[in-house]
Amino acid sequence: MKLFLYLLFTILSFSFFAQSFSPENHFGYKIGAKFTPHHDVISFFEALQTNYSSNIKIEKYGKTNENRDLILAYIGTDENIAKLEQIKSEHKAGIKSEKISIVWLSYNVHGNEASCTEAAMQTAFDLITKNNSYLKNTIVIIDPCLNPDGRDRYVNWYYQFKTKNANPNPDAVEHDEPWPGGRPNHYFFDLNRDWAWLTQVESQQRIKKYNEWLPHVHVDFHEQGINEPYYFPPAAEPYHEIITEWQREFQKGIGKNNAKYFDEKGWQYFTSKEFDLLYPSYGDTYPTFCGAIGMTYEQAGNGRAGEGIITRDGDTLTLKERVEHHVVTGISTVEYSAKMSDKLIQEYQKFVKDRKFKFKSYVIEGKIQQVEKLGDLFSKHDINYSFLPIGQKIKGFEFDTRKTGSFTTENVSLLVNLNQLKGTLAHVLLEPETKLADSLTYDITSWTLPFAYGLKAYGLENEMSAPFFEPTLSPAEVLSSNAYAYVVRWEGMNSVQFLNQALADGIVVRKHAKGFEQGNAKYTAGSLIILKSENSADVAGKLQKIASKFQINISQTMSGMVDKGSDFGYSDVEIIKKPKIALLVGDKTNSLNVGEIWHFLENDLNLPITLLSLSNLKSEDLDEFSMLFVPEGYYETNSFLSTWIDGGGKAISFGSSIESLGVSLGLSATTSDEEKTSDEEEVKAPKAKKEKKEDVSFADAERSSLSTNVIGAIYRCKLDQTHPLCFGIENYYTLRQSSDSYKKLENGFSPVSIAQSTDHMNGFVGYKVKLQQANSIVAGTQSKGKGQVIIFTDNPLYRGFWESGKMLVANAIYQVD
């Protein structure tokens, strides 16, 4: 009897405490009253699991760069939570008897859109305690914060400057977030543009879990400008052409369901504007191309709103209201998805089986290091591929020439057949031409991965079967300690990483400026030479280890005399100095470009760098550095920066930053007289270019402006492969995001350029600026005193995914003197 009473008391006590648990009891304030730091968000979900263990399961799936936890919360009925693994495996297997639909809700991918995470907590609590009837045939997965580093950056700043009682005056400092803002992650990347490219650790870890589940519905919760009300689907045009009628119809259905609740409360909202479904690396499009109903919800707010702000209408937009709106749409989404569960399952299974593409297979060829990098990205997305050997005969459409014919591959190739679970996503990432139903789009209009990686590609109208082939490097030579020198070809990022490690290990490395022949071997310009006489006795063993790590073949020679070219003792064969690198950061710089450079140097090259604040920069600060990265931005001409270059410094400049370095470029295109857009608005609808007035109606003004814009278009480039900037690069395609066309580089060289307007490969180019793109500089060098300025008019590190551009920047670091 005592045991029975004890058990009864325990059960009743647990029930009481579970029923008494609430966000207000947990925090001491109601959700929406203030911003919750990330560690408290984690503790709330853990407490929710403690109190409702049969309805929620928490999973930590990774860490951020700043060591914050990334978590998922699985919410469902007792029965469904108990068999999560079974539900997941049945869904991935596509069994006909599948009965549970999966809804994934993602919050706060942009850190300063901070009401989203607050809404995630309230939504999770309400689903368990008030709306559990929707969970009978639905599993809900909540990621409460995709970007904890950015969110805590915002929240911590806000509470440093918030007055005791939040001040709604828009001019108050608490509404003026400083550079770089909380929007990006640690490396200043926009994580909502990284779903497909997976350059960031948050994206890489999240996509592993996402691809385990491949949900039927995915919603990405955001905030927009303070004077916008609320946006939910249906989305705006252009829709990518592969998006099915069912996906379009569900967007309309969910829009009507959300509108019903907003109408009841008299809340303002809009649909079918601004937010399209084209660019594949968003939190709505990536899921869509994987078969889900992918959607974006946008609440007024972002980093300006704080806990409350007066809008242009004179109303005060509060944090509480922002949270409430997101909670309503979140619950509405689960409700409608539960109602449509059977149809969701049926249409998803149809999506992953039915493909009506012109091309059934793609073949991508190039040097093994580059091809394998693309293969690594495919593997992260669960896109299956196989290798083809050199000399494979194929019949198809060649991307570069745009001709259909018979071809024989000259390098190792990847074969991607679209008859697979992720076939639609593979098609979108590889397609040679993006079809636009409407050119007024929110982001870039082309991203063709073979061009981004500098590879040849072919589209095949028939599915190709692949013979078994596993590419390998030729067997590595066993390096002799008696060799005169060791030689490494300069032919990709693996070679660059080899060089970085060798220099870090104290090995003296030289470069051959012109290339040479020795025996039956040819070595291109930029090849690395390690002389035994300049290094320690155990250098052969050190080199062997580094070569193995980076999958590099090293040749060895017993003589410094060559058959053609310069002998190893000539001035063409110079020592490579270990770079001492600084990067400008601060208000005048574009934080996204700062992050691209920072991430590349630290993660791709593993190089130590120093971030220098532009606002506090002094002449003597530069003395210890051999090179300075100058990111995109608008600077005043800096006399001591110019003096530092004249004294022997190397400046590597991006975009408009060139104007501050005392280098003259001829600009032939008409440039915009409008203020540079902020990082937050970087990819919004294109701005009109200053031009001769035309008779255009007010309603058509925005669309008319497209005629003078280039919106993320890909061009084939002409290369001067004798120039150090082009060493190790066979093909290069640039991604243009501006119609500005630089034509003339005084006292310098332009080894990477667009030769003809017909070199346009993909993406939107306005008809008024098409011809102006001919003879445009893409990358160049100019001597200035004893120093050098390297110029990138197009961004070779764009969003970290323009893989072939990384070699251009590596050459700027190591090959250009």
Side-chain angles (χ1 to χ4, degrees):
M1 177 61 75
K2 288 182 179 180
L3 178 61
F4 172 76
L5 291 174
Y6 172 77
L7 292 173
L8 180 62
F9 174 77
T10 301
I11 293 170
L12 290 174
S13 297
F14 178 80
S15 176
F16 171 78
F17 285 117
Q19 289 173 5
S20 65
F21 176 82
S22 70
E24 185 175 4
N25 289 341
H26 180 78
F27 291 124
Y29 59 86
K30 290 183 178 180
I31 288 178
K34 60 187 294 186
F35 293 115
T36 307
H38 187 69
H39 66 277
D40 285 338
V41 173
I42 300 296
S43 73
F44 171 79
F45 276 95
E46 290 173 342
L48 199 58
Q49 178 177 246
T50 298
N51 283 275
Y52 299 97
S53 58
S54 60
N55 295 118
I56 181 170
K57 177 183 177 183
I58 307 302
E59 179 182 19
K60 292 184 180 181
Y61 69 87
K63 294 275 190 180
T64 68
N65 287 290
E66 298 175 14
N67 205 39
R68 292 181 175 88
D69 286 328
L70 296 164
I71 68 167
L72 294 175
Y74 301 92
I75 298 172
T77 62
D78 302 17
E79 179 184 2
N80 289 336
I81 290 297
K83 59 177 185 179
L84 276 178
E85 289 301 316
Q86 179 184 338
I87 291 169
K88 179 169 67 174
S89 61
E90 288 179 351
H91 172 54
K92 289 294 290 286
I95 63 169
K96 290 184 178 180
S97 59
E98 184 182 2
K99 294 296 182 185
I100 306 298
S101 58
I102 303 157
V103 177
W104 187 306
L105 307 178
S106 291
Y107 297 84
N108 239 133
V109 69
H110 294 145
N112 60 1
E113 298 173 8
S115 75
C116 299
T117 292
E118 307 299 328
M121 293 188 289
Q122 189 68 56
T123 300
F125 181 74
D126 286 356
L127 280 172
I128 293 171
T129 60
K130 298 178 183 179
N131 305 106
N132 52 20
S133 62
Y134 303 150
L135 303 177
K136 292 178 181 178
N137 60 354
T138 307
I139 285 290
V140 179
I141 304 173
I142 289 180
D143 188 331
C145 189
L146 280 67
N147 182 8
D149 292 349
R151 189 174 190 277
D152 266 7
R153 185 188 309 128
Y154 170 75
V155 170
N156 291 335
W157 165 80
Y158 179 75
Y159 282 116
Q160 287 177 28
F161 289 95
K162 178 198 147 232
T163 51
K164 184 175 182 180
N165 296 311
N167 188 340
N169 184 342
D171 296 326
V173 69
E174 62 199 72
H175 303 298
D176 186 18
E177 192 182 5
W179 188 97
R183 179 183 174 89
N185 75 339
H186 171 80
Y187 280 108
F188 305 162
F189 270 67
D190 184 334
L191 293 179
N192 194 39
R193 272 88 179 165
D194 195 47
W195 277 76
W197 318 135
L198 303 180
T199 67
Q200 302 301 293
V201 294
E202 295 92 342
S203 307
Q204 293 162 12
Q205 295 170 108
R206 180 180 68 252
I207 215 69
K208 289 179 183 177
K209 302 309 299 183
Y210 187 91
N211 285 331
E212 285 181 15
W213 282 93
L214 292 176
H216 298 96
V217 175
H218 180 266
V219 180
D220 201 17
F221 288 84
H222 287 262
E223 291 188 88
Q224 54 192 339
I226 62 169
N227 295 310
E228 306 293 334
Y230 198 102
Y231 162 83
F232 47 73
E237 290 286 357
Y239 281 58
H240 194 283
E241 63 174 340
I242 64 92
I243 296 175
T244 67
E245 284 302 315
W246 157 249
Q247 289 172 316
R248 294 168 185 254
E249 286 303 314
F250 190 95
Q251 289 222 349
K252 294 176 184 177
I254 201 74
K256 290 180 179 178
N257 207 62
N258 290 341
K260 175 181 66 175
Y261 292 108
F262 273 54
D263 289 342
E264 287 175 359
K265 295 179 179 291
W267 295 339
Q268 293 183 354
Y269 59 91
F270 67 94
T271 68
S272 309
K273 302 291 184 183
E274 295 191 31
F275 304 102
D276 58 68
L277 292 173
L278 183 70
Y279 173 71
S281 203
Y282 283 137
D284 53 9
T285 49
Y286 181 89
T288 297
F289 300 150
C290 293
I293 312 297
M295 296 175 288
T296 289
Y297 293 174
E298 295 266 358
Q299 162 63 45
N302 72 44
R304 285 200 64 203
E307 291 179 5
I309 190 169
I310 299 171
T311 68
R312 67 182 171 207
D313 294 333
D315 293 330
T316 299
L317 174 66
T318 67
L319 176 60
K320 178 179 179 294
E321 291 170 329
R322 292 152 61 196
V323 171
E324 187 177 2
H325 297 166
H326 268 335
V327 171
V328 166
T329 55
I331 300 295
S332 168
T333 299
V334 177
E335 175 195 32
Y336 188 74
S337 299
K339 176 183 175 182
M340 303 296 292
S341 182
D342 290 344
K343 185 69 171 174
L344 278 168
I345 293 168
Q346 175 189 338
E347 291 292 336
Y348 173 84
Q349 292 185 357
K350 181 180 176 182
F351 181 97
V352 298
K353 293 177 182 177
D354 295 349
R355 296 178 189 84
K356 298 177 182 178
F357 307 133
K358 177 181 179 181
F359 300 130
K360 304 297 189 297
S361 301
Y362 289 99
V363 173
I364 307 107
E365 71 161 313
K367 291 179 180 177
I368 186 170
Q369 294 176 1
Q370 296 161 301
V371 167
E372 286 187 331
K373 284 186 183 299
L374 183 56
D376 289 342
L377 179 63
F378 288 157
S379 295
K380 290 173 183 175
H381 288 300
D382 289 347
I383 294 173
N384 299 320
Y385 64 90
S386 52
F387 287 100
L388 297 175
I390 297 171
Q392 186 73 39
K393 295 184 184 301
I394 57 175
K395 184 177 180 180
F397 173 83
E398 186 180 34
F399 284 25
D400 187 70
T401 63
R402 299 181 181 176
K403 293 181 179 178
T404 299
S406 296
F407 304 94
T408 302
T409 60
E410 299 175 353
N411 286 289
V412 170
S413 305
L414 287 180
L415 170 65
V416 179
N417 287 322
L418 301 187
N419 185 23
Q420 58 172 297
L421 182 65
K422 288 294 198 71
T424 299
L425 176 65
H427 167 72
V428 172
L429 298 180
L430 293 170
E431 61 184 348
E433 182 178 4
T434 307
K435 293 184 179 178
L436 292 174
D438 191 325
S439 301
L440 195 62
T441 179
Y442 196 73
D443 212 295
I444 61 174
T445 56
S446 59
W447 48 82
T448 311
L449 281 182
F451 293 147
Y453 280 68
L455 301 170
K456 288 185 176 181
Y458 309 88
L460 284 58
E461 294 189 15
N462 296 309
E463 185 173 330
M464 182 178 184
S465 58
F468 177 78
F469 175 71
E470 187 67 36
T472 57
L473 290 169
S474 54
E477 290 185 56
V478 177
L479 300 183
S480 168
S481 60
N482 296 321
Y484 179 85
Y486 310 94
V487 184
V488 173
R489 288 181 167 82
W490 187 256
E491 54 184 13
M493 285 300 296
N494 293 50
S495 306
V496 182
Q497 291 166 332
F498 168 89
L499 171 61
N500 292 334
Q501 187 65 58
L503 294 178
D505 290 351
I507 297 172
V508 178
V509 183
R510 292 177 177 265
K511 59 187 175 186
H512 204 293
K514 302 270 181 80
F516 64 96
E517 294 181 20
Q518 192 180 53
N520 296 322
K522 293 183 179 181
Y523 297 91
T524 58
S527 292
L528 308 178
I529 297 171
I530 300 97
L531 300 177
K532 175 192 169 186
S533 61
E534 294 180 325
N535 288 283
S536 61
D538 62 345
V539 67
K542 289 181 178 178
L543 292 174
Q544 202 104 47
K545 288 181 181 178
I546 301 171
S548 177
K549 178 179 179 180
F550 295 109
Q551 295 186 304
I552 288 290
N553 277 339
I554 301 180
S555 302
Q556 55 190 340
T557 176
M558 298 299 173
S559 175
M561 180 179 286
V562 302
D563 299 326
K564 189 175 180 179
S566 300
D567 296 329
F568 292 175
Y570 191 60
S571 59
D572 280 348
V573 185
E574 298 179 343
I575 288 178
I576 300 175
K577 296 179 181 179
K578 191 174 180 180
K580 294 182 179 179
I581 300 174
L583 168 62
L584 287 183
V585 304
D587 288 345
K588 301 283 187 175
T589 65
N590 180 300
S591 65
L592 297 174
N593 192 218
V594 169
E596 290 158 349
I597 298 167
W598 183 13
H599 185 266
F600 170 70
L601 294 173
E602 283 196 342
N603 291 272
D604 289 271
L605 300 188
N606 196 30
L607 285 174
I609 66 169
T610 299
L611 307 183
L612 294 179
S613 172
L614 181 63
S615 60
N616 299 319
L617 191 65
K618 299 182 294 293
S619 177
E620 57 268 24
D621 294 340
L622 298 173
D623 291 345
E624 65 178 283
F625 300 104
S626 61
M627 66 186 69
L628 176 70
F629 277 82
V630 187
E632 292 178 9
Y634 285 86
Y635 317 98
E636 297 175 2
T637 300
N638 192 309
S639 59
F640 69 77
L641 185 55
S642 182
T643 301
W644 173 79
I645 299 170
D646 288 336
K650 182 194 293 186
I652 301 174
S653 68
F654 291 69
S656 58
S657 69
I658 184 63
E659 297 170 11
S660 68
L661 301 180
V663 175
S664 176
L665 286 171
L667 179 62
S668 77
T670 307
T671 56
S672 173
D673 65 346
E674 297 195 27
E675 184 179 351
K676 178 73 173 177
T677 56
S678 68
D679 292 343
E680 181 176 347
E681 301 299 324
E682 179 213 21
V683 292
K684 277 217 170 185
K687 300 289 185 183
K689 297 291 180 180
K690 188 177 181 181
E691 59 177 358
K692 186 177 179 180
K693 291 285 185 180
E694 293 183 355
D695 292 330
V696 177
S697 69
F698 178 81
D700 293 335
E702 184 178 29
R703 191 165 298 283
S704 176
S705 73
L706 293 171
S707 63
T708 58
N709 274 309
V710 176
I711 311 174
I714 298 172
Y715 278 84
R716 179 199 298 117
C717 290
K718 176 184 177 183
L719 302 179
D720 176 358
Q721 293 181 314
T722 67
H723 192 284
L725 262 186
C726 299
F727 287 175
I729 301 173
E730 292 183 343
N731 306 293
Y732 189 71
Y733 303 85
T734 189
L735 183 66
R736 306 222 83 196
Q737 297 179 84
S738 170
S739 60
D740 296 349
S741 178
Y742 294 92
K743 303 293 188 181
K744 185 180 180 183
L745 183 59
E746 296 178 2
N747 306 317
F749 298 92
S750 308
V752 187
S753 62
I754 297 169
Q756 307 172 71
S757 59
T758 52
D759 287 326
H760 173 223
M761 308 303 296
N762 194 12
F764 179 82
V765 179
Y767 75 91
K768 290 184 180 179
V769 293
K770 274 187 176 181
L771 296 180
Q772 292 178 3
Q773 304 312 306
N775 302 311
S776 294
I777 298 169
V778 172
T781 61
Q782 179 167 309
S783 298
K784 189 174 183 303
K786 295 179 182 179
Q788 281 274 356
V789 178
I790 292 94
I791 299 135
F792 295 116
T793 62
D794 292 342
N795 183 359
L797 299 178
Y798 185 69
R799 294 183 182 169
F801 88 94
W802 208 256
E803 191 68 30
S804 57
K806 295 177 180 179
M807 197 64 188
L808 273 180
V809 181
N811 282 336
I813 295 171
Y814 288 117
Q815 298 288 357
V816 177
D817 292 320

